[in-house]
Amino acid sequence: MKRMNDDSSTNPGRVDLVGAGPGDPDLVTLKAARLIQSAEVVVYDNLVGDAILDLIPPKVERIYVGKSAGNHTLPQEEICALLVEKAKEGKRVVRLKGGDPFVFGRGGEEIDVLIDAGIPVGIVPGVTAALGAAASFGFPLTHRDYAQSCVFVTGHLKDDSVDLNWPMLAQARQTVVIYMGIIGVEIVSARLQEAGLPGDTPAALVYRATCPDEKLFPATVATLPKVVQEEAVKSPTLIVIGQVLKLAVSGDGRQETGDRAASGIRNQIG
Ligand code: SAH
C-alpha cells in the first residue's frame, strides 16, 4: 500500500502493521514471524506478551508504547510520529499489536498517517482475542442450534457511559463478544437486560485467552458485575454472552477426557 509519490526506490523504510495474536506464540502467523525476524525496529504495546517478544532477535531495536486504560504511555499522535520518523530513517519497522491490528487496534488511524506521509505500509492479520478465547475454551462463536450471528463490540467508556446499540445486542440466537468491557460491566449487564435479554442468559469472562494463565469465569448476564468484583477480574478480559457458552470446556478437560460433558466449566454455565 503506497502513494504515487513515495520514495521507496531510494529509501527502503517501511512499516508493517502486524497482528501478534492473543498471546500464544504458536498463534503468530508465519508472515508475522518472518517480518519480526527481518525488522530493524519493533514498536509494540502492552498486549504483546513476553512469549511473543522472545521471537524478536536481540539486535532489533524494541520500542514500548504500551497503553492501559486511562494510562497512556505515548499518545496515539506520538506513536504515529515515531513510526513515520523511523521509516523515514530508512528502517524496516514492525508495528506489533495484540490480536488483529484492525480489530479495536487503532490500526486504521496509524495507516492513515503513514499513507499521508508517503510511507509504504503492509498489514498482517492476526488471531483476534475472540477467536483465541473460543478455541481455548471450546465454544463455537456460531452454531446451527444456538447462534446465527456473532458481533464484536467495544465496551470502552466514553464520557463515563457505554454507547452501544442495546436492542441489537439483546437479540436472541446471537453471540456477543465485548472487548475492553470490564470497566463498563455494570452498564453492559443492566442495559442488556433492559433491552430484553434474559438475565439468566449464559455469559463468561475470559481472561488472557491462549496464555498459560488463561481463565474462564462462568456467569450470566445478570451476575457479570458480581463475578468481576468477587473474582477481581482484570484486563485483558473479554465478556462473552450467548447460548454457545453452554458448549464451553476447559482446555485441560478436553485433553484429558476428550469429552465435553465431563468438563466442570460446561456444567457451571447456563
Ligand atoms: N486488537 C486486539 C484487541 C485490542 S482491544 C485483538 O484483535 O484482539 C484490547 C482488548 O482486547 C482487551 O481489553 C481485552 O478485552 C481484549 N483482549 C486482548 N487480548 C486478550 C486475551 N488474550 N484474552 C482476553 N481478552 C483479550
Side-chain angles (χ1 to χ4, degrees):
M1 214 173 285
K2 53 184 168 180
R3 285 204 323 195
M4 298 297 285
N5 63 347
D6 80 49
D7 57 355
S8 53
S9 53
T10 51
N11 182 344
R14 59 175 287 121
V15 178
D16 287 282
L17 263 60
V18 176
D24 178 352
D26 282 353
L27 294 176
V28 171
T29 64
L30 292 174
K31 188 166 187 178
R34 182 168 58 72
L35 285 168
I36 291 169
Q37 289 295 318
S38 63
E40 289 162 290
V41 183
V42 174
V43 178
Y44 66 99
D45 42 47
N46 56 351
L47 278 176
V48 180
D50 289 344
I52 308 272
L53 296 178
D54 286 347
L55 302 175
I56 305 174
K59 62 177 191 306
V60 176
E61 183 184 4
R62 301 172 184 212
I63 304 177
Y64 174 70
V65 292
K67 285 178 279 195
S68 50
N71 173 20
H72 289 239
T73 304
L74 255 195
Q76 188 64 40
E77 310 82 67
E78 287 180 36
I79 296 174
C80 290
L82 174 73
L83 297 174
V84 170
E85 180 193 315
K86 290 287 176 187
K88 286 202 161 156
E89 286 171 13
K91 301 275 172 57
R92 289 187 305 276
V93 182
V94 164
R95 171 68 171 115
L96 200 54
K97 288 173 170 284
D100 181 274
F102 281 175
V103 179
F104 307 122
R106 303 191 74 170
E109 294 162 52
E110 291 178 14
I111 217 159
D112 276 354
V113 174
L114 292 163
I115 289 176
D116 284 349
I119 291 166
V121 185
I123 297 135
V124 180
V127 175
T128 192
L131 306 187
S136 275
F137 293 98
F139 57 89
L141 291 168
T142 64
H143 188 289
R144 282 164 65 105
D145 298 334
Y146 298 109
Q148 278 72 47
S149 63
C150 167
V151 286
F152 296 170
V153 294
T154 169
H156 189 67
L157 295 169
K158 211 175 182 185
D159 307 327
D160 283 337
S161 78
V162 190
D163 191 16
L164 291 171
N165 182 343
W166 302 108
M168 184 272 282
L169 296 180
Q171 279 171 33
R173 306 180 74 76
Q174 171 169 263
T175 306
V176 177
V177 183
I178 305 174
Y179 287 68
M180 297 174 277
I182 290 296
I183 294 174
V185 67
E186 285 196 24
I187 300 175
V188 167
S189 169
R191 295 284 178 282
L192 284 175
Q193 291 179 79
E194 282 163 26
L197 193 66
D200 62 0
T201 303
L205 296 145
V206 183
Y207 171 70
R208 283 174 59 79
T210 80
C211 300
D213 55 346
E214 67 180 354
K215 201 152 169 41
L216 183 149
F217 300 93
T220 63
V221 167
T223 65
L224 274 169
K226 192 171 105 199
V227 174
V228 168
Q229 198 187 16
E230 286 179 1
E231 304 283 352
V233 182
K234 299 271 177 317
S235 185
T237 290
L238 293 171
I239 302 175
V240 185
I241 294 165
Q243 301 294 336
V244 290
L245 286 166
K246 289 180 174 164
L247 303 172
V249 293
S250 76
D252 287 352
R254 188 170 52 238
Q255 273 156 25
E256 280 164 25
T257 65
D259 177 5
R260 285 214 267 238
S263 156
I265 288 173
R266 185 174 184 183
N267 296 336
Q268 288 170 54
I269 290 180

